[in-house]
Every structure is written in structure tokens, then in C-alpha cells.
Amino acid sequence: AVAAGRPFYVHVPYNDTHSPYNVPPGQENDFDHITSDPTGKLFLGELHNLDKQIGRLVQGIDALGVSQDTLILAIGDNGAPNDALNTLLRRNGGLRTGKGNLYEGGIREPFIIRWPGTVPAGVVNSNTIITTLDLLPTWCALAGIPLPNAPFAGEDMSDVFRGTLR
């Protein structure tokens, strides 16, 4: 539980959208209007459910009244597999290849930040490269605490989080 006025950290590592794609019973055909491919429909159903669950998390933070003090990140881990489903749904947005490749389709991922009052809403930065290696030094800078005395890779990207484009 979140204690009033106390800092907290929550890490929610969703496994969606990795195969096998699972949707609640009765929702297997909710995306017939987009594709007739059975795997494609399951993927879209799982993606839709993931979106709903992230929405519930955000609504919960807002309901607690701590959104101004809460940084939310949604980050992918790698590009979509370079398979028929990727071709069918263009999951890489037209980027070259996919998972396991060093072209953009394999390594360019969503990196969505929400922190009302600190991170400007609606900003799209297509110029700056940020990796998960940059999270520790960035979180420390945003929290105003020194980096731990340990080896790490990455750099403070808090200016990018705040909307200062590099």
C-alpha cells in the first residue's frame, strides 16, 4: 500500500505481448474487423487487454492523488519478431527487420513517459537515443540523490524526460 507522503517504487513487468497470445474466453474474435488471421486477432486482443491494464494502473495512481509525484514509464524490450504476423500487422511501423537485428525494427522501441507537472504531455522526441541503461542515473538525478558507488553504464537523461530535446 502507498503510505501518504512516502516515496514508493513499483515495477510492473508485463509479459504481454509475447507469444503465446492469451485473451479472455469469448474475446478471440474481437478484432475480426482488422484481420482474419487467427494469430493476428489474438495478438490484437492481448494488446488491447494490456492497454486496459495499464489504464487501470494510471487511473489508480490518479485516484490516490499522487500523479504529480509519480513517474510512469512504458518501455518495450525489442522489436517485433520478423515473422508473418509482423508483416501482416506492420508492428514495427515499417522499420527494417525485427527482433534479433540491429536495424531499427529490431532495437527501436516505444519509450513513453508520464509525469504530470514535470514531463510535458504530447512531446514526441525522435532524435534522442535512450536505453534502459540510462534509467538508473536518470532516476537518481530526478530524485535528487547521488548515484550509488557501483559500476554501471548509462547517463543522466533527465533533461530529455523534462522535454529538453537533445
Side-chain angles (χ1 to χ4, degrees):
V2 176
R6 304 270 330 265
F8 66 94
Y9 173 83
V10 177
H11 183 91
V12 184
Y14 294 104
N15 189 37
D16 299 340
T17 53
H18 286 81
S19 64
Y21 307 118
N22 299 299
V23 298
Q27 295 181 8
E28 298 87 356
N29 296 307
D30 285 0
F31 290 89
D32 280 345
H33 61 288
I34 295 177
T35 182
S36 61
D37 181 82
T39 304
K41 289 189 286 188
L42 291 175
F43 168 80
L44 291 171
E46 185 170 281
L47 180 63
H48 178 73
N49 284 318
L50 174 61
D51 183 57
K52 288 193 314 190
Q53 298 311 314
I54 292 172
R56 288 181 58 218
L57 176 66
V58 171
Q59 288 172 352
I61 289 168
D62 290 349
L64 289 171
V66 296
S67 61
Q68 297 281 323
D69 299 317
T70 304
L71 170 65
I72 298 174
L73 300 175
I75 307 168
D77 62 348
N78 50 249
N82 199 19
D83 59 9
L85 184 59
N86 188 22
T87 302
L88 174 72
L89 300 176
R90 296 183 48 85
R91 292 192 299 171
N92 282 348
L95 299 174
R96 186 176 182 185
T97 72
K99 183 177 183 174
N101 292 282
L102 292 178
Y103 293 109
E104 282 190 279
I107 60 174
R108 188 173 180 178
E109 282 301 307
F111 195 101
I112 302 167
I113 307 168
R114 179 187 190 253
W115 190 1
T118 302
V119 174
V123 173
V124 176
N125 179 340
S126 297
N127 300 317
T128 305
I129 296 172
I130 296 179
T131 75
T132 54
L133 297 174
D134 298 320
L135 293 179
L136 175 64
T138 301
W139 287 339
C140 288
L142 290 169
I145 59 175
L147 283 168
N149 188 15
F152 66 90
E155 63 182 274
D156 171 12
M157 302 299 273
S158 58
D159 58 335
V160 177
F161 278 39
R162 289 186 175 105
T164 305
L165 303 179
R166 287 187 177 202

